[in-house]
């Protein structure tokens, strides 16, 4: 069945968040549209365009011609958006004891979308053609932080991930060591942008990440896309 749509678990009065599957000729009034599949997404009408796997665009009165899966997101009301902790979002320090006690970083409920089959080396851009397909559980959640927030340098994830900026502006940054003074790459994240994955595959269900962090330049909401083996 085409255009199967449902709200994502973190949709609320402040944030529009919808999942659409088997997408065909789907009109989008105003949203960041994220291709959460290993197949290209086609947008436009008279002049079709390709949104590659795991990438995104912002449509305003636009159309998705075809896609395997797409997430549509928009902040509907930014006033008191930071009160997300009173709407079911969790402060990350409640989950990680070593997390800095003065860092205002909040995570939404997570939505497990289903499964996706891809070659992890293709996901990380280490090769173009799939040679060893693998099934992953696909999970989505949002993050929120106010402006000028250091969202914690880390390098451990038991999954493949990438991120998309939904509201505000921020940066994904890489470091040689767990110190802000060792930064060597600074990826600017405007609304509607998805960065390339930072991880590299090192074995079966094994990948390494550089020391990295998200830095919120302004009040920001961003989407995390996680592929769990």
């Amino acid at each position: 069945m085409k255009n199967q749509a449902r709200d994502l678990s973190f949709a609320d009065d402040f944030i529009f968040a919808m999942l659409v599957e088997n997408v065909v000729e789907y009109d989008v009034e105003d949203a960041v549209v994220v291709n959460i599949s290993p197949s290209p997404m086609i947008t436009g009408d008279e002049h079709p365009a390709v949104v590659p796997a795991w990438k995104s665009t912002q449509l305003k009165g636009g159309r998705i011609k075809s896609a395997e899966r797409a997430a549509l997101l928009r902040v509907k009301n930014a006033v008191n958006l930071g009160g997300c902790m009173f709407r079911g979002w969790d402060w990350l320090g409640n989950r990680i004891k070593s997390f800095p006690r003065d860092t205002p970083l909040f995570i939404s409920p997570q939505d497990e979308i289903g499964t996706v089959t891809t070659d992890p080396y293709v996901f990380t851009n280490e090769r173009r053609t799939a040679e060893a397909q693998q099934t992953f559980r696909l999970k989505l959640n949002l993050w929120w932080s106010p402006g000028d927030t250091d969202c914690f340098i880390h390098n451990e994830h038991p999954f493949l991930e990438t991120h998309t900026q939904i509201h505000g502006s921020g940066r994904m940054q890489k470091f040689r060591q767990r110190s802000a003074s060792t930064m060597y790459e600074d990826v600017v994240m405007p609304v509607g942008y998805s960065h390339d994955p930072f991880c590299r595959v090192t074995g079966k269900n094994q990948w390494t990440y550089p020391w990295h962090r998200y830095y919120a330049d302004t009040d920001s909401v961003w989407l995390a896309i996680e592929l769990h083996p």
Side-chain angles (χ1 to χ4, degrees):
M1 184 182 299
K2 69 178 184 180
N3 297 333
Q4 295 175 278
R6 69 167 176 86
D7 285 345
L8 291 162
S9 62
F10 38 80
D12 60 21
D13 291 340
F14 292 78
I15 297 175
F16 168 78
M18 178 175 289
L19 172 70
V20 188
E21 300 184 270
N22 303 320
V23 193
V24 179
E25 303 292 345
Y26 192 88
D27 292 329
V28 180
E29 181 180 348
D30 183 7
V32 173
V33 179
V34 189
N35 180 8
I36 51 172
S37 83
S39 304
M41 175 169 65
I42 309 301
T43 64
D45 201 352
E46 296 86 0
H47 190 78
V50 175
V51 178
W54 313 110
K55 292 296 186 177
S56 53
T57 188
Q58 188 169 19
L59 295 181
K60 295 177 178 288
R63 172 174 291 183
I64 305 172
K65 289 190 70 67
S66 64
E68 185 179 340
R69 278 183 177 135
L72 282 58
L73 302 111
R74 183 183 79 254
V75 169
K76 298 186 293 184
N77 180 12
V79 178
N80 294 329
L81 179 62
C84 58
M85 69 286 294
F86 304 115
R87 301 190 296 272
W89 293 43
D90 194 18
W91 176 58
L92 190 58
N94 292 330
R95 305 184 182 190
I96 303 175
K97 290 184 179 180
S98 61
F99 190 74
R101 312 306 291 178
D102 57 354
T103 300
L105 174 60
F106 294 86
I107 183 172
S108 74
Q110 193 167 62
D111 197 320
E112 184 161 346
I113 303 303
T115 61
V116 62
T117 301
T118 188
D119 183 332
Y121 285 93
V122 173
F123 179 87
T124 60
N125 297 318
E126 293 179 83
R127 62 185 174 215
R128 293 187 178 183
T129 304
E131 297 178 12
Q133 297 274 45
Q134 185 176 341
T135 298
F136 294 86
R137 290 177 296 142
L138 178 60
K139 301 182 180 183
L140 306 179
N141 64 262
L142 293 178
W143 293 93
W144 178 86
S145 269
D148 291 315
T149 298
D150 168 0
C151 296
F152 191 59
I153 299 173
H154 58 289
N155 70 349
E156 296 180 359
H157 289 298
F159 48 77
L160 301 169
E161 74 164 5
T162 186
H163 302 89
T164 301
Q165 190 78 20
I166 306 302
H167 176 76
S169 62
R171 301 165 188 271
M172 286 294 299
Q173 301 172 325
K174 298 179 185 178
F175 306 86
R176 291 188 171 86
Q177 302 172 25
R178 196 173 200 168
S179 169
S181 65
T182 66
M183 182 175 68
Y184 67 90
E185 187 170 351
D186 189 20
V187 181
V188 178
M189 299 277 289
V191 171
Y193 182 77
S194 297
H195 68 84
D196 289 324
F198 281 9
C199 54
R200 290 295 173 262
V201 181
T202 53
K204 178 67 173 180
N205 291 336
Q206 295 180 341
W207 22 80
T208 60
Y209 284 81
W211 291 107
H212 67 282
R213 75 176 176 191
Y214 181 89
Y215 188 93
D217 288 327
T218 69
D219 293 2
S220 292
V221 175
W222 63 104
L223 175 73
I225 303 167
E226 300 179 356
L227 277 66
H228 292 251

